[in-house]
Amino acid sequence: MADWIYILNPNKDTLDGEPSDKETMLRLAEEEPALELWLSRRNRMKTGDRLWFFFTHPESAVAAVAEVDEEPWDDPEDPDVPYLVGATLLTAATRALYRVPVSRDELGLGQVRSVQTVKPQALPVLLKRAGL
């Protein structure tokens, strides 16, 4: 199993037309936890991997987590979207992270990219904060 940071900028990104902020993510975790997310690269994601959602604004922090349901796939119907990945938000863990997010400093994040692996030293903090 691998752990990935998935970057969301609430000022630019949307989730089915809704703002990609931590409030929307918490509501989705409680009401509609299944997601299809855009990826610029296939990466090496596998079923069972975790996606930790890092929100860039207003507070730079991880405040939600999901489990990958299936490996990324091509979207031949939309040439602007290279890959999609199916994931399900983990409701209890997302609630815990919503209450006490993991800050950028705690993650040791340098340059922010759309998707990157979690640094080994950050994983224990994420797991503990999420109650996993």
Side-chain angles (χ1 to χ4, degrees), residues 42-109:
R42 185 179 295 272
N43 295 312
R44 294 174 303 280
M45 277 182 204
K46 304 279 187 220
T47 301
D49 286 359
R50 283 184 292 247
L51 297 174
W52 300 89
F53 294 95
F54 178 82
F55 300 88
T56 60
H57 298 288
E59 169 188 11
S60 294
V62 169
V65 62
E67 186 173 289
V68 173
D69 295 329
E70 55 189 299
E71 293 184 21
W73 67 89
D74 297 336
D75 186 3
E77 295 177 17
D78 189 349
D80 294 331
V81 177
Y83 301 101
L84 292 170
V85 64
T88 300
L89 287 161
L90 303 178
T91 305
T94 295
R95 270 193 215 116
L97 289 165
Y98 177 85
R99 286 191 296 273
V100 186
V102 179
S103 73
R104 180 187 195 107
D105 291 341
E106 291 174 288
L107 292 169
L109 277 181

Short mmCIF file of all heavy atoms in Angstrom, two decimals, residues 42-109:
data_model
loop_
_atom_site.label_atom_id
_atom_site.label_comp_id
_atom_site.label_asym_id
_atom_site.label_seq_id
_atom_site.Cartn_x
_atom_site.Cartn_y
_atom_site.Cartn_z
N ARG A 42 -0.53 8.72 -14.54
CA ARG A 42 -1.09 7.48 -13.98
C ARG A 42 -0.49 7.17 -12.61
O ARG A 42 -1.10 6.56 -11.77
CB ARG A 42 -0.84 6.31 -14.93
CG ARG A 42 -1.49 5.04 -14.47
CD ARG A 42 -1.27 3.90 -15.43
NE ARG A 42 -1.88 4.09 -16.70
CZ ARG A 42 -3.11 3.74 -17.01
NH1 ARG A 42 -3.87 3.18 -16.12
NH2 ARG A 42 -3.58 3.94 -18.22
N ASN A 43 0.75 7.61 -12.38
CA ASN A 43 1.48 7.28 -11.16
C ASN A 43 1.55 5.77 -11.00
O ASN A 43 1.41 5.03 -11.96
CB ASN A 43 0.88 7.97 -9.94
CG ASN A 43 1.00 9.48 -10.02
OD1 ASN A 43 2.06 10.00 -10.31
ND2 ASN A 43 -0.09 10.18 -9.79
N ARG A 44 1.73 5.29 -9.82
CA ARG A 44 1.76 3.86 -9.56
C ARG A 44 0.68 3.49 -8.56
O ARG A 44 0.85 2.60 -7.74
CB ARG A 44 3.15 3.45 -9.06
CG ARG A 44 4.23 3.62 -10.12
CD ARG A 44 5.63 3.37 -9.59
NE ARG A 44 6.01 4.20 -8.46
CZ ARG A 44 6.42 5.46 -8.55
NH1 ARG A 44 6.49 6.06 -9.72
NH2 ARG A 44 6.75 6.15 -7.48
N MET A 45 -0.43 4.19 -8.60
CA MET A 45 -1.51 3.95 -7.64
C MET A 45 -2.12 2.58 -7.84
O MET A 45 -2.31 2.13 -8.96
CB MET A 45 -2.61 5.00 -7.80
CG MET A 45 -2.33 6.26 -7.09
SD MET A 45 -3.71 7.38 -7.29
CE MET A 45 -2.82 8.90 -7.03
N LYS A 46 -2.45 1.97 -6.72
CA LYS A 46 -3.07 0.66 -6.71
C LYS A 46 -4.30 0.69 -5.81
O LYS A 46 -4.42 1.55 -4.92
CB LYS A 46 -2.10 -0.40 -6.16
CG LYS A 46 -0.78 -0.49 -6.89
CD LYS A 46 -0.92 -1.30 -8.12
CE LYS A 46 0.45 -1.52 -8.75
NZ LYS A 46 0.46 -1.43 -10.15
N THR A 47 -5.18 -0.27 -6.00
CA THR A 47 -6.33 -0.44 -5.12
C THR A 47 -5.83 -0.57 -3.68
O THR A 47 -4.88 -1.31 -3.43
CB THR A 47 -7.13 -1.68 -5.53
OG1 THR A 47 -7.55 -1.51 -6.88
CG2 THR A 47 -8.34 -1.90 -4.64
N GLY A 48 -6.46 0.15 -2.76
CA GLY A 48 -6.07 0.09 -1.35
C GLY A 48 -5.11 1.19 -0.93
O GLY A 48 -4.91 1.41 0.26
N ASP A 49 -4.49 1.88 -1.89
CA ASP A 49 -3.65 3.04 -1.54
C ASP A 49 -4.52 4.12 -0.90
O ASP A 49 -5.75 4.12 -1.07
CB ASP A 49 -2.98 3.62 -2.79
CG ASP A 49 -1.84 2.77 -3.32
OD1 ASP A 49 -1.54 1.72 -2.72
OD2 ASP A 49 -1.27 3.15 -4.36
N ARG A 50 -3.89 5.02 -0.19
CA ARG A 50 -4.63 6.14 0.41
C ARG A 50 -4.26 7.45 -0.28
O ARG A 50 -3.11 7.66 -0.66
CB ARG A 50 -4.31 6.26 1.90
CG ARG A 50 -5.01 5.23 2.75
CD ARG A 50 -4.72 5.46 4.22
NE ARG A 50 -3.33 5.18 4.49
CZ ARG A 50 -2.89 4.16 5.23
NH1 ARG A 50 -3.74 3.34 5.80
NH2 ARG A 50 -1.61 3.98 5.42
N LEU A 51 -5.27 8.31 -0.41
CA LEU A 51 -5.10 9.67 -0.90
C LEU A 51 -5.37 10.61 0.25
O LEU A 51 -6.47 10.63 0.79
CB LEU A 51 -6.08 9.98 -2.04
CG LEU A 51 -5.95 9.16 -3.31
CD1 LEU A 51 -7.09 9.51 -4.27
CD2 LEU A 51 -4.62 9.44 -3.98
N TRP A 52 -4.37 11.40 0.60
CA TRP A 52 -4.49 12.41 1.66
C TRP A 52 -4.68 13.75 0.97
O TRP A 52 -3.83 14.16 0.19
CB TRP A 52 -3.24 12.42 2.52
CG TRP A 52 -2.97 11.10 3.20
CD1 TRP A 52 -2.26 10.06 2.70
CD2 TRP A 52 -3.44 10.69 4.48
NE1 TRP A 52 -2.24 9.03 3.59
CE2 TRP A 52 -2.96 9.38 4.71
CE3 TRP A 52 -4.22 11.30 5.47
CZ2 TRP A 52 -3.23 8.68 5.87
CZ3 TRP A 52 -4.49 10.60 6.63
CH2 TRP A 52 -3.99 9.31 6.83
N PHE A 53 -5.81 14.42 1.23
CA PHE A 53 -6.14 15.65 0.52
C PHE A 53 -5.55 16.86 1.23
O PHE A 53 -5.94 17.18 2.35
CB PHE A 53 -7.66 15.79 0.36
CG PHE A 53 -8.22 14.73 -0.53
CD1 PHE A 53 -8.73 13.56 0.00
CD2 PHE A 53 -8.20 14.88 -1.91
CE1 PHE A 53 -9.24 12.57 -0.82
CE2 PHE A 53 -8.69 13.89 -2.74
CZ PHE A 53 -9.22 12.73 -2.19
N PHE A 54 -4.63 17.51 0.51
CA PHE A 54 -3.96 18.71 1.01
C PHE A 54 -4.63 19.92 0.38
O PHE A 54 -4.65 20.07 -0.84
CB PHE A 54 -2.48 18.67 0.62
CG PHE A 54 -1.70 19.88 1.03
CD1 PHE A 54 -1.22 20.00 2.33
CD2 PHE A 54 -1.46 20.91 0.14
CE1 PHE A 54 -0.49 21.12 2.72
CE2 PHE A 54 -0.74 22.02 0.52
CZ PHE A 54 -0.26 22.13 1.82
N PHE A 55 -5.23 20.76 1.22
CA PHE A 55 -5.91 21.97 0.76
C PHE A 55 -4.94 23.14 0.84
O PHE A 55 -4.33 23.37 1.89
CB PHE A 55 -7.15 22.23 1.63
CG PHE A 55 -8.14 21.10 1.57
CD1 PHE A 55 -8.05 20.03 2.44
CD2 PHE A 55 -9.13 21.09 0.61
CE1 PHE A 55 -8.95 18.97 2.37
CE2 PHE A 55 -10.03 20.04 0.52
CZ PHE A 55 -9.93 18.97 1.40
N THR A 56 -4.79 23.87 -0.25
CA THR A 56 -3.81 24.96 -0.28
C THR A 56 -4.30 26.24 0.36
O THR A 56 -3.50 27.06 0.76
CB THR A 56 -3.39 25.27 -1.73
OG1 THR A 56 -4.54 25.66 -2.48
CG2 THR A 56 -2.74 24.06 -2.39
N HIS A 57 -5.63 26.42 0.46
CA HIS A 57 -6.22 27.64 1.03
C HIS A 57 -7.43 27.30 1.85
O HIS A 57 -8.10 26.31 1.55
CB HIS A 57 -6.66 28.61 -0.08
CG HIS A 57 -5.55 29.10 -0.95
ND1 HIS A 57 -4.61 29.99 -0.53
CD2 HIS A 57 -5.25 28.80 -2.23
CE1 HIS A 57 -3.77 30.23 -1.53
NE2 HIS A 57 -4.13 29.51 -2.57
N PRO A 58 -7.85 28.06 2.80
CA PRO A 58 -7.15 29.21 3.37
C PRO A 58 -6.01 28.79 4.29
O PRO A 58 -5.11 29.54 4.57
CB PRO A 58 -8.25 29.93 4.15
CG PRO A 58 -9.20 28.86 4.54
CD PRO A 58 -9.15 27.84 3.42
N GLU A 59 -6.06 27.53 4.75
CA GLU A 59 -5.01 26.98 5.60
C GLU A 59 -4.37 25.83 4.83
O GLU A 59 -5.07 24.93 4.37
CB GLU A 59 -5.66 26.47 6.90
CG GLU A 59 -4.80 25.66 7.78
CD GLU A 59 -5.58 25.04 8.95
OE1 GLU A 59 -6.82 25.07 8.95
OE2 GLU A 59 -4.92 24.51 9.84
N SER A 60 -3.06 25.84 4.65
CA SER A 60 -2.36 24.77 3.94
C SER A 60 -2.25 23.56 4.86
O SER A 60 -1.41 23.55 5.78
CB SER A 60 -0.98 25.24 3.50
OG SER A 60 -1.09 26.26 2.55
N ALA A 61 -3.10 22.55 4.61
CA ALA A 61 -3.12 21.39 5.50
C ALA A 61 -3.87 20.23 4.87
O ALA A 61 -4.69 20.42 3.97
CB ALA A 61 -3.79 21.77 6.82
N VAL A 62 -3.60 19.02 5.37
CA VAL A 62 -4.36 17.83 5.01
C VAL A 62 -5.58 17.78 5.93
O VAL A 62 -5.44 17.82 7.14
CB VAL A 62 -3.52 16.55 5.16
CG1 VAL A 62 -4.39 15.30 5.05
CG2 VAL A 62 -2.42 16.51 4.11
N ALA A 63 -6.77 17.69 5.31
CA ALA A 63 -7.99 17.68 6.11
C ALA A 63 -9.00 16.65 5.62
O ALA A 63 -10.18 16.73 5.95
CB ALA A 63 -8.62 19.08 6.11
N ALA A 64 -8.57 15.65 4.82
CA ALA A 64 -9.45 14.58 4.36
C ALA A 64 -8.59 13.44 3.84
O ALA A 64 -7.43 13.64 3.46
CB ALA A 64 -10.39 15.07 3.26
N VAL A 65 -9.17 12.24 3.83
CA VAL A 65 -8.45 11.06 3.33
C VAL A 65 -9.43 10.11 2.66
O VAL A 65 -10.59 10.01 3.06
CB VAL A 65 -7.66 10.36 4.47
CG1 VAL A 65 -8.58 9.84 5.55
CG2 VAL A 65 -6.77 9.26 3.93
N ALA A 66 -8.95 9.44 1.60
CA ALA A 66 -9.76 8.47 0.87
C ALA A 66 -8.91 7.24 0.57
O ALA A 66 -7.68 7.28 0.63
CB ALA A 66 -10.27 9.07 -0.44
N GLU A 67 -9.60 6.15 0.24
CA GLU A 67 -8.92 4.94 -0.20
C GLU A 67 -9.18 4.74 -1.68
O GLU A 67 -10.32 4.89 -2.14
CB GLU A 67 -9.44 3.74 0.60
CG GLU A 67 -8.69 2.46 0.31
CD GLU A 67 -9.13 1.34 1.22
OE1 GLU A 67 -8.81 1.40 2.42
OE2 GLU A 67 -9.80 0.40 0.72
N VAL A 68 -8.14 4.38 -2.42
CA VAL A 68 -8.26 4.14 -3.85
C VAL A 68 -9.04 2.84 -4.08
O VAL A 68 -8.70 1.80 -3.53
CB VAL A 68 -6.86 4.07 -4.52
CG1 VAL A 68 -6.97 3.66 -5.98
CG2 VAL A 68 -6.15 5.41 -4.38
N ASP A 69 -10.10 2.94 -4.90
CA ASP A 69 -10.95 1.78 -5.19
C ASP A 69 -10.48 0.98 -6.39
O ASP A 69 -10.73 -0.22 -6.47
CB ASP A 69 -12.39 2.25 -5.48
CG ASP A 69 -13.04 2.89 -4.27
OD1 ASP A 69 -12.72 2.50 -3.13
OD2 ASP A 69 -13.87 3.80 -4.47
N GLU A 70 -9.86 1.66 -7.35
CA GLU A 70 -9.36 0.98 -8.54
C GLU A 70 -8.21 1.79 -9.13
O GLU A 70 -8.11 2.99 -8.92
CB GLU A 70 -10.47 0.78 -9.57
CG GLU A 70 -11.19 2.05 -9.97
CD GLU A 70 -12.41 1.78 -10.83
OE1 GLU A 70 -12.25 1.20 -11.93
OE2 GLU A 70 -13.51 2.15 -10.42
N GLU A 71 -7.36 1.09 -9.85
CA GLU A 71 -6.20 1.76 -10.44
C GLU A 71 -6.64 2.82 -11.45
O GLU A 71 -7.71 2.70 -12.04
CB GLU A 71 -5.31 0.73 -11.12
CG GLU A 71 -4.66 -0.21 -10.12
CD GLU A 71 -3.69 -1.18 -10.76
OE1 GLU A 71 -3.20 -0.92 -11.87
OE2 GLU A 71 -3.41 -2.21 -10.12
N PRO A 72 -5.83 3.86 -11.65
CA PRO A 72 -6.18 4.91 -12.61
C PRO A 72 -6.43 4.35 -14.00
O PRO A 72 -5.82 3.37 -14.42
CB PRO A 72 -4.94 5.81 -12.60
CG PRO A 72 -4.33 5.59 -11.25
CD PRO A 72 -4.57 4.15 -10.95
N TRP A 73 -7.34 4.99 -14.72
CA TRP A 73 -7.68 4.59 -16.07
C TRP A 73 -7.72 5.80 -16.99
O TRP A 73 -7.88 6.92 -16.55
CB TRP A 73 -9.01 3.85 -16.11
CG TRP A 73 -10.21 4.69 -15.76
CD1 TRP A 73 -10.98 5.43 -16.61
CD2 TRP A 73 -10.78 4.89 -14.46
NE1 TRP A 73 -11.99 6.07 -15.94
CE2 TRP A 73 -11.89 5.77 -14.61
CE3 TRP A 73 -10.47 4.43 -13.18
CZ2 TRP A 73 -12.68 6.18 -13.54
CZ3 TRP A 73 -11.26 4.85 -12.12
CH2 TRP A 73 -12.34 5.70 -12.30
N ASP A 74 -7.55 5.54 -18.29
CA ASP A 74 -7.65 6.58 -19.31
C ASP A 74 -9.11 7.00 -19.45
O ASP A 74 -10.01 6.17 -19.28
CB ASP A 74 -7.20 6.06 -20.68
CG ASP A 74 -5.75 5.64 -20.70
OD1 ASP A 74 -4.98 6.15 -19.88
OD2 ASP A 74 -5.39 4.80 -21.54
N ASP A 75 -9.31 8.26 -19.81
CA ASP A 75 -10.66 8.74 -20.10
C ASP A 75 -10.70 9.13 -21.58
O ASP A 75 -10.46 10.28 -21.93
CB ASP A 75 -11.02 9.93 -19.21
CG ASP A 75 -12.47 10.36 -19.39
OD1 ASP A 75 -13.20 9.71 -20.15
OD2 ASP A 75 -12.87 11.35 -18.75
N PRO A 76 -11.02 8.17 -22.47
CA PRO A 76 -10.99 8.45 -23.91
C PRO A 76 -12.05 9.47 -24.34
O PRO A 76 -11.92 10.09 -25.39
CB PRO A 76 -11.25 7.10 -24.56
CG PRO A 76 -11.92 6.28 -23.50
CD PRO A 76 -11.43 6.81 -22.18
N GLU A 77 -13.08 9.68 -23.53
CA GLU A 77 -14.15 10.62 -23.88
C GLU A 77 -13.78 12.07 -23.60
O GLU A 77 -14.44 12.97 -24.09
CB GLU A 77 -15.43 10.25 -23.15
CG GLU A 77 -15.98 8.91 -23.57
CD GLU A 77 -17.22 8.51 -22.80
OE1 GLU A 77 -17.83 9.37 -22.15
OE2 GLU A 77 -17.55 7.31 -22.85
N ASP A 78 -12.75 12.28 -22.78
CA ASP A 78 -12.36 13.65 -22.44
C ASP A 78 -10.84 13.79 -22.61
O ASP A 78 -10.08 13.45 -21.70
CB ASP A 78 -12.78 13.99 -21.01
CG ASP A 78 -12.58 15.46 -20.68
OD1 ASP A 78 -11.93 16.19 -21.46
OD2 ASP A 78 -13.09 15.89 -19.63
N PRO A 79 -10.40 14.32 -23.74
CA PRO A 79 -8.95 14.44 -23.99
C PRO A 79 -8.26 15.43 -23.05
O PRO A 79 -7.04 15.41 -22.92
CB PRO A 79 -8.87 14.91 -25.44
CG PRO A 79 -10.20 15.50 -25.73
CD PRO A 79 -11.19 14.80 -24.86
N ASP A 80 -9.02 16.28 -22.37
CA ASP A 80 -8.42 17.22 -21.42
C ASP A 80 -8.11 16.58 -20.07
O ASP A 80 -7.46 17.17 -19.23
CB ASP A 80 -9.35 18.43 -21.20
CG ASP A 80 -9.51 19.26 -22.46
OD1 ASP A 80 -8.55 19.28 -23.28
OD2 ASP A 80 -10.57 19.87 -22.63
N VAL A 81 -8.63 15.38 -19.83
CA VAL A 81 -8.41 14.66 -18.58
C VAL A 81 -7.63 13.39 -18.90
O VAL A 81 -8.21 12.41 -19.37
CB VAL A 81 -9.75 14.31 -17.89
CG1 VAL A 81 -9.52 13.50 -16.64
CG2 VAL A 81 -10.54 15.58 -17.59
N PRO A 82 -6.31 13.40 -18.68
CA PRO A 82 -5.50 12.23 -19.04
C PRO A 82 -5.92 10.95 -18.31
O PRO A 82 -6.03 9.91 -18.92
CB PRO A 82 -4.08 12.64 -18.65
CG PRO A 82 -4.10 14.12 -18.60
CD PRO A 82 -5.50 14.50 -18.18
N TYR A 83 -6.15 11.03 -16.99
CA TYR A 83 -6.49 9.84 -16.21
C TYR A 83 -7.52 10.18 -15.14
O TYR A 83 -7.59 11.32 -14.66
CB TYR A 83 -5.25 9.25 -15.52
CG TYR A 83 -4.17 8.86 -16.48
CD1 TYR A 83 -3.07 9.68 -16.67
CD2 TYR A 83 -4.26 7.68 -17.20
CE1 TYR A 83 -2.08 9.32 -17.58
CE2 TYR A 83 -3.26 7.32 -18.10
CZ TYR A 83 -2.18 8.14 -18.29
OH TYR A 83 -1.21 7.79 -19.18
N LEU A 84 -8.26 9.15 -14.74
CA LEU A 84 -9.18 9.25 -13.60
C LEU A 84 -8.82 8.15 -12.62
O LEU A 84 -8.28 7.11 -12.99
CB LEU A 84 -10.63 9.06 -14.06
CG LEU A 84 -11.21 10.16 -14.92
CD1 LEU A 84 -12.56 9.75 -15.49
CD2 LEU A 84 -11.34 11.45 -14.13
N VAL A 85 -9.15 8.38 -11.35
CA VAL A 85 -8.96 7.35 -10.33
C VAL A 85 -10.20 7.37 -9.44
O VAL A 85 -10.70 8.43 -9.08
CB VAL A 85 -7.66 7.56 -9.51
CG1 VAL A 85 -7.68 8.85 -8.71
CG2 VAL A 85 -7.39 6.36 -8.61
N GLY A 86 -10.70 6.18 -9.13
CA GLY A 86 -11.85 6.06 -8.23
C GLY A 86 -11.36 5.90 -6.81
O GLY A 86 -10.43 5.14 -6.53
N ALA A 87 -12.00 6.61 -5.90
CA ALA A 87 -11.62 6.55 -4.48
C ALA A 87 -12.87 6.76 -3.62
O ALA A 87 -13.85 7.35 -4.08
CB ALA A 87 -10.57 7.59 -4.16
N THR A 88 -12.80 6.31 -2.39
CA THR A 88 -13.88 6.50 -1.43
C THR A 88 -13.34 7.21 -0.20
O THR A 88 -12.36 6.75 0.40
CB THR A 88 -14.51 5.15 -1.03
OG1 THR A 88 -15.02 4.52 -2.20
CG2 THR A 88 -15.64 5.34 -0.02
N LEU A 89 -13.97 8.33 0.14
CA LEU A 89 -13.57 9.06 1.33
C LEU A 89 -13.83 8.22 2.57
O LEU A 89 -14.86 7.54 2.68
CB LEU A 89 -14.36 10.37 1.44
CG LEU A 89 -13.96 11.44 0.44
CD1 LEU A 89 -15.06 12.49 0.30
CD2 LEU A 89 -12.65 12.09 0.86
N LEU A 90 -12.89 8.25 3.50
CA LEU A 90 -13.03 7.54 4.78
C LEU A 90 -13.68 8.51 5.76
O LEU A 90 -13.05 9.48 6.21
CB LEU A 90 -11.66 7.08 5.27
CG LEU A 90 -10.89 6.18 4.28
CD1 LEU A 90 -9.53 5.82 4.84
CD2 LEU A 90 -11.70 4.94 3.94
N THR A 91 -14.94 8.26 6.08
CA THR A 91 -15.75 9.23 6.82
C THR A 91 -15.17 9.58 8.19
O THR A 91 -14.95 10.76 8.48
CB THR A 91 -17.19 8.71 6.97
OG1 THR A 91 -17.70 8.42 5.67
CG2 THR A 91 -18.08 9.75 7.63
N ALA A 92 -14.93 8.60 9.05
CA ALA A 92 -14.44 8.90 10.40
C ALA A 92 -13.07 9.57 10.37
O ALA A 92 -12.82 10.53 11.11
CB ALA A 92 -14.39 7.62 11.24
N ALA A 93 -12.19 9.09 9.51
CA ALA A 93 -10.85 9.67 9.41
C ALA A 93 -10.92 11.10 8.87
O ALA A 93 -10.18 11.98 9.32
CB ALA A 93 -9.96 8.81 8.52
N THR A 94 -11.81 11.35 7.90
CA THR A 94 -11.96 12.70 7.37
C THR A 94 -12.53 13.64 8.43
O THR A 94 -12.08 14.78 8.55
CB THR A 94 -12.85 12.68 6.10
OG1 THR A 94 -12.14 11.94 5.08
CG2 THR A 94 -13.14 14.08 5.59
N ARG A 95 -13.47 13.15 9.23
CA ARG A 95 -13.98 13.97 10.35
C ARG A 95 -12.86 14.36 11.30
O ARG A 95 -12.76 15.50 11.73
CB ARG A 95 -15.05 13.21 11.12
CG ARG A 95 -16.43 13.41 10.62
CD ARG A 95 -17.44 12.88 11.64
NE ARG A 95 -18.55 12.33 10.91
CZ ARG A 95 -18.93 11.06 10.91
NH1 ARG A 95 -18.30 10.17 11.64
NH2 ARG A 95 -19.94 10.67 10.19
N ALA A 96 -12.02 13.39 11.64
CA ALA A 96 -10.91 13.65 12.57
C ALA A 96 -9.94 14.68 11.98
O ALA A 96 -9.50 15.60 12.68
CB ALA A 96 -10.19 12.35 12.90
N LEU A 97 -9.60 14.52 10.70
CA LEU A 97 -8.69 15.47 10.05
C LEU A 97 -9.32 16.84 9.88
O LEU A 97 -8.63 17.86 9.95
CB LEU A 97 -8.24 14.92 8.69
CG LEU A 97 -7.29 13.74 8.74
CD1 LEU A 97 -7.21 13.06 7.38
CD2 LEU A 97 -5.90 14.19 9.21
N TYR A 98 -10.62 16.88 9.66
CA TYR A 98 -11.33 18.16 9.54
C TYR A 98 -11.20 18.94 10.85
O TYR A 98 -10.95 20.14 10.85
CB TYR A 98 -12.81 17.91 9.22
CG TYR A 98 -13.62 19.16 9.14
CD1 TYR A 98 -13.69 19.89 7.95
CD2 TYR A 98 -14.32 19.63 10.24
CE1 TYR A 98 -14.44 21.06 7.87
CE2 TYR A 98 -15.07 20.79 10.17
CZ TYR A 98 -15.13 21.50 8.98
OH TYR A 98 -15.86 22.65 8.91
N ARG A 99 -11.36 18.23 11.97
CA ARG A 99 -11.27 18.88 13.29
C ARG A 99 -9.85 19.36 13.58
O ARG A 99 -9.64 20.45 14.10
CB ARG A 99 -11.73 17.93 14.39
CG ARG A 99 -13.24 17.75 14.43
CD ARG A 99 -13.69 17.03 15.69
NE ARG A 99 -13.19 15.67 15.80
CZ ARG A 99 -13.79 14.60 15.28
NH1 ARG A 99 -14.90 14.73 14.59
NH2 ARG A 99 -13.28 13.40 15.45
N VAL A 100 -8.85 18.51 13.26
CA VAL A 100 -7.45 18.84 13.55
C VAL A 100 -6.62 18.47 12.32
O VAL A 100 -6.05 17.37 12.25
CB VAL A 100 -6.94 18.11 14.81
CG1 VAL A 100 -5.53 18.58 15.15
CG2 VAL A 100 -7.86 18.30 15.99
N PRO A 101 -6.54 19.38 11.33
CA PRO A 101 -5.77 19.10 10.11
C PRO A 101 -4.28 18.95 10.39
O PRO A 101 -3.77 19.39 11.42
CB PRO A 101 -6.03 20.34 9.24
CG PRO A 101 -7.20 21.03 9.84
CD PRO A 101 -7.21 20.68 11.29
N VAL A 102 -3.59 18.33 9.44
CA VAL A 102 -2.13 18.19 9.51
C VAL A 102 -1.53 19.30 8.65
O VAL A 102 -1.74 19.34 7.44
CB VAL A 102 -1.67 16.80 9.02
CG1 VAL A 102 -0.15 16.70 9.08
CG2 VAL A 102 -2.33 15.70 9.85
N SER A 103 -0.78 20.20 9.29
CA SER A 103 -0.26 21.38 8.59
C SER A 103 0.87 21.05 7.63
O SER A 103 1.49 19.98 7.70
CB SER A 103 0.25 22.40 9.61
OG SER A 103 1.47 21.94 10.19
N ARG A 104 1.11 21.98 6.75
CA ARG A 104 2.20 21.86 5.77
C ARG A 104 3.54 21.62 6.47
O ARG A 104 4.34 20.79 6.03
CB ARG A 104 2.25 23.14 4.93
CG ARG A 104 3.34 23.13 3.90
CD ARG A 104 3.46 24.51 3.22
NE ARG A 104 4.23 24.35 2.04
CZ ARG A 104 3.76 24.38 0.81
NH1 ARG A 104 2.49 24.61 0.59
NH2 ARG A 104 4.55 24.19 -0.22
N ASP A 105 3.78 22.33 7.56
CA ASP A 105 5.04 22.16 8.30
C ASP A 105 5.17 20.75 8.86
O ASP A 105 6.25 20.16 8.83
CB ASP A 105 5.15 23.18 9.44
CG ASP A 105 5.33 24.60 8.93
OD1 ASP A 105 5.75 24.78 7.76
OD2 ASP A 105 5.06 25.54 9.70
N GLU A 106 4.07 20.20 9.39
CA GLU A 106 4.10 18.84 9.93
C GLU A 106 4.36 17.81 8.83
O GLU A 106 4.93 16.75 9.10
CB GLU A 106 2.77 18.52 10.62
CG GLU A 106 2.55 19.30 11.89
CD GLU A 106 1.18 19.05 12.47
OE1 GLU A 106 0.19 19.55 11.88
OE2 GLU A 106 1.10 18.35 13.50
N LEU A 107 3.94 18.11 7.61
CA LEU A 107 4.14 17.20 6.48
C LEU A 107 5.55 17.28 5.91
O LEU A 107 6.00 16.36 5.23
CB LEU A 107 3.15 17.52 5.36
CG LEU A 107 1.69 17.23 5.65
CD1 LEU A 107 0.82 17.84 4.57
CD2 LEU A 107 1.46 15.74 5.76
N GLY A 108 6.22 18.40 6.11
CA GLY A 108 7.54 18.61 5.53
C GLY A 108 7.47 18.75 4.02
O GLY A 108 8.37 18.32 3.30
N LEU A 109 6.37 19.34 3.52
CA LEU A 109 6.20 19.50 2.08
C LEU A 109 7.09 20.61 1.55
O LEU A 109 7.16 21.69 2.10
CB LEU A 109 4.75 19.87 1.73
CG LEU A 109 3.75 18.74 1.62
CD1 LEU A 109 2.38 19.30 1.24
CD2 LEU A 109 4.18 17.71 0.61
#
